[in-house]
């Protein structure tokens, strides 16, 4: 499994050509409708104060997603796009803040962040949730921030994400432990992510 990156940390990453030129910065990460992988990025200009660009960066044009930059072959990777389309796609593909329900109808939390595989994958691996008390038992005064594997996302509609109930058995608040558990199951071919 490639290194995992939190989607919140992608905002403001530079988009850099293989020639070393910074051509834009990431504004928003857009996911495909089935929440399986990154569909692309909306962009701001070369400086963070430049404002939104009328271009986007579709995932197939990404050479590699790293921790410090999104790499593209050249500036031709950026596609002209009407701003209204970019905004619509960004809203449709936004997962942060979405309510999470299981297919059993239980509300389990709200999406705080999304973990994706870096490199050439862009695969959505897990969600970081502000979990409801029913999902993680303990003090009612303590806020529970947990990781849950993506599993087979059943639907993403508006501001609601539906996941299989069985993936909640893999919930943990420890990211290294989570990666180890899901990675071990993935290697055995019984993966949930």
């Amino acid at each position: 499994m490639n290194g995992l990156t939190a989607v919140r940390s992608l905002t403001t990453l530079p988009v850099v050509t293989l020639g070393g030129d910074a051509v834009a910065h990431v504004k928003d990460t857009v996911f495909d409708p089935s929440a399986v992988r990154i569909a692309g990025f909306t962009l701001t200009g070369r400086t963070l104060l430049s404002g939104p660009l009328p271009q986007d960066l579709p995932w197939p044009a990404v050479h590699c997603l790293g921790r410090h930059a999104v790499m593209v072959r050249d500036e031709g990777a950026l596609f002209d796009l009407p701003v209204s389309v970019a905004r619509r796609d960004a809203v449709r593909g936004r997962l942060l803040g979405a309510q999470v329900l299981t297919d059993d109808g239980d509300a389990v939390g709200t999406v705080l962040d999304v973990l994706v595989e870096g490199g050439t994958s862009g695969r959505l691996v897990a969600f970081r949730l502000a979990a409801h008390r029913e999902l993680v038992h303990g003090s009612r005064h303590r806020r529970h921030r947990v990781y849950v594997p993506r599993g087979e996302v059943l639907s993403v509609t508006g501001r609601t994400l539906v996941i299989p109930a069985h993936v909640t058995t893999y919930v943990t608040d420890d990211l290294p432990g989570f990666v180890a558990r899901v990675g071990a199951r993935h290697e055995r071919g019984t993966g949930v992510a």
Side-chain angles (χ1 to χ4, degrees):
M1 191 183 305
N2 289 324
L4 298 182
T5 302
V7 166
R8 284 191 185 272
S9 70
L10 298 179
T11 303
T12 73
L13 273 186
V15 177
V16 179
T17 67
L18 293 178
D21 296 323
V23 295
H25 283 86
V26 172
K27 182 177 186 299
D28 287 310
T29 302
V30 180
F31 292 96
D32 68 15
S34 60
V36 173
R37 69 181 61 256
I38 295 172
F41 301 101
T42 61
L43 305 171
T44 62
R46 288 184 175 110
T47 67
L48 295 178
L49 301 175
S50 300
L53 285 180
Q55 296 173 312
D56 75 345
L57 177 61
W59 182 258
V62 172
H63 175 73
C64 187
L65 172 63
R67 293 190 187 277
H68 303 289
V70 177
M71 301 301 294
V72 295
R73 292 201 185 281
D74 55 40
E75 201 165 347
L78 308 184
F79 283 83
D80 288 336
L81 188 67
V83 174
S84 60
V85 172
R87 284 191 189 126
R88 184 196 70 218
D89 287 348
V91 169
R92 186 175 59 215
R94 185 174 293 147
L95 292 172
L96 302 182
Q99 178 183 14
V100 182
L101 298 172
T102 67
D103 57 353
D104 290 342
D106 295 327
V108 293
T110 305
V111 177
L112 294 173
D113 210 341
V114 179
L115 298 178
V116 295
E117 268 186 331
T120 59
S121 168
R123 187 173 65 95
L124 192 153
V125 175
F127 303 101
R128 184 169 187 230
L129 304 181
H132 293 176
R133 282 186 304 186
E134 294 79 20
L135 183 62
V136 180
H137 302 288
S139 166
R140 73 172 71 166
H141 299 294
R142 182 174 168 229
R143 290 185 173 181
H144 295 287
R145 309 247 188 266
V146 300
Y147 297 93
V148 62
R150 177 183 59 83
E152 294 303 317
V153 170
L154 301 177
S155 69
V156 181
T157 310
R159 303 296 290 153
T160 304
L161 171 71
V162 180
I163 62 174
H166 71 85
V167 300
T168 61
T169 60
Y170 299 96
V171 169
T172 181
D173 60 359
D174 170 40
L175 182 57
F178 171 78
V179 171
R181 286 176 74 186
V182 172
R185 292 191 57 84
H186 185 67
E187 288 172 9
R188 289 194 310 252
T190 59
V192 293

